[in-house]
Amino acid sequence: MTCEIGWIPAVDDRRFVLRRRMFCKLDLCSILGLIVVAWMTLNLAWADQLIRPVYVYEGLIKSIRDYFNNTCIILLHNNPNPIETQGLTESDHLLVLQRYLSMNHNIRTTFMDFHMFSTRVGQRYYHIKRPLFVLLNDHEDTRDGFAHQISTWITMAYPTWLVFFKNETKFVDFFFEIYVPFDCKFMVAQSSPNVIGREIITEVYQVDRGKQLRSMRFGIWDARSGLNGPTRGLFLRRNNLYGQNIRVTSVHDPPISLFHRNERNEITGMSGFFGEVILLLQQALNCTFTYKEAKSWGVCLPNGSCTGAIGMLMNNDVDFAATEFMMTSDRLDAISFTTPIYTTKCRAYIKRPASSDVKWDAYTAPFSRNIWGAIALFIVLTSGSIVLIQRLFAFASPYLQNNGRSRFTEILFFVLGAFCNQGMEQSTLDPVRMVHFVIHLSAVVIVAAYSAALISFLAVKTFIMPFTTMDGLLKDKTYRFGAVGDSADFSFFQNTSDKIMSVLFDELITKETDLPSNYLDGLERVCKEDKYAFMTLDNMAALLQQKVDCKLEPLDVITQTTIAMALQVNSPYRGIINANILLLRDSGILQRLMDTQWSVQLSNAKPSWKSVEIGDIVPLLLFVVAALFISCLVCALERIIFASISNRIKLKVAKNKSRQPK
């Protein structure tokens, strides 16, 4: 073989270089030899991707995957796939690694370069459940490819990350242009300088973009004992925001969220239930809160924009919304929710009338029909008993035949008078006296029971609802209906598929030109305006009942809802806020806050009892008036009849006298 050696320019992926070229006249053996050399050179190039022995990659990747329970592993690199670019097989070491993970342990594993991942997977990476992304080395081309082709668009906190570093590599140099969010699980493996086959694993993160890169020991792995990882959760380890400023917004919604302002009208803090919650969060997170007021909770418009607090989160004006947000599916594209704070029911409320309607059955309702029938039968039987006794004894005593007997109707009125606390005509017969005793004793017991039941019936106000359902509200046609503007309540009616709710929105809510700005405003309108219904939460109605001057009556439940606070989509602070809310819940502090904030208002509750009003005795007054009218009418009739009879008698007497002879 004769060869001529020279230098020619060549181009690789990143720069122009000079490569040495041999002009040769080759025979068959020489060609085969060059092929073997080229294959070995390619293997060496791929072997450079692995900066640890294969068993270290196998054991450590498998241990990290088991710790985080990842479903698949993607080994990322910067070199294009040799099969696609040069038609040659991959390196034996990489094949061994993939075979170990996929075949020996049934873990879905694939190799993918950065360009392929960006173009072929792209934003669809969210369809990969709990992936583990592994960077095989810390080479400059790996670092540049990851920084410019992956980290600029991917949600770093979604997958789990593992990168292998050489011992001399500095964290700050590698992550110089890479933002590792606070909630990102990003681990760096470095070889132990003292023990062969041992890896020291460090997790890195930043509190905010541009802030200091922080690191802490995650664990140690070695070939014999495997991974010795942390026993505490992620946000129990990362429990400090190092004074990070978090921008908070809320809605002025007394009494559960109220702003405090200084002399320059600047918001300095919050009080109420949500004010107490974020104060506890501020102390636990070691952060600083600055406040902005939102005019409303907000809704998302068809053009994609949002209003109120939701719009402020979406436009990056604030980081956190510390107010009650109903967890609805239509808000998930614009905001993220914290873990639920509490659950409640949503329904409409109306005002109970100031005075109840006239109770026409007020004086008969204390006893049922059966009891009234038994009393009437008792009066008739005892009256008949007295008449029977008098007739039996009349045969034995001539005096009774002439003077001691009474008619049944007279005795019946006497017995009825006994039940009205009137006396009865005394009798000389002992059996009749015994019947009188039974009558008076029964009358005392019955009158006492009736009086107690009547007082209770008159004193306890009973309100007959004009309707109890939203369908009844719609059919009533006399009530107005409102909900808080720019809120989930409003969106519920706007986007509902329920026909009744949709008609309510079209016929009632859309006609309201000035919807309430918060729940207190809405319930005050219920009390001030006649026939006004308002949709609110059960716990808010119970809390604000003491703030309004009327009695609220609930309709049937519309829906059950869950209340949470809100953050920006993919907020790095969502996890640590959720972790602390769960700690507050498990320790009972959150429940105590709810009890104290809700019960403070109840201490000033107005007395619930009411006096008997004029409307309650209208039936009795009408009865007295009717009795007087009937009495006068009977008296007048008696006088007319008596006068008529007297005139007839006088005429007969006069006629008789005129017929007598003189």
Side-chain angles (χ1 to χ4, degrees), residues 158 248 272 331 401:
Y158 183 75
V248 178
R331 288 176 166 178
Q401 291 180 1

Side-chain angles (χ1 to χ4, degrees), residues 184-230:
C184 180
K185 301 180 289 294
F186 204 118
M187 287 151 293
V188 178
Q190 290 180 306
S191 298
S192 173
N194 302 322
V195 181
I196 298 176
R198 174 176 292 180
E199 296 288 323
I200 300 175
I201 308 169
T202 306
E203 55 182 357
V204 297
Y205 66 94
Q206 294 170 267
V207 174
D208 197 3
R209 188 181 296 275
K211 293 298 181 68
Q212 176 186 352
L213 182 70
R214 299 185 180 275
S215 61
M216 62 176 60
R217 176 71 64 86
F218 179 81
I220 297 176
W221 177 90
D222 59 46
R224 292 184 178 180
S225 57
L227 177 64
N228 183 15

Side-chain angles (χ1 to χ4, degrees), residues 542-580:
L543 177 62
L544 297 174
Q545 173 67 81
Q546 314 307 319
K547 294 285 186 178
V548 296
D549 56 359
C550 70
K551 181 66 176 177
L552 301 174
E553 292 291 340
L555 303 185
D556 289 350
V557 175
I558 298 176
T559 182
Q560 183 155 343
T561 185
T562 303
I563 302 300
M565 295 182 285
L567 301 103
Q568 293 183 12
V569 175
N570 298 325
S571 171
Y573 310 117
R574 182 187 178 207
I576 191 171
I577 289 175
N578 285 343
N580 281 272

Side-chain angles (χ1 to χ4, degrees), residues 140-151:
E140 183 180 355
D141 57 350
T142 301
R143 185 260 176 207
D144 292 343
F146 176 65
H148 300 139
Q149 299 184 50
I150 301 296
S151 66

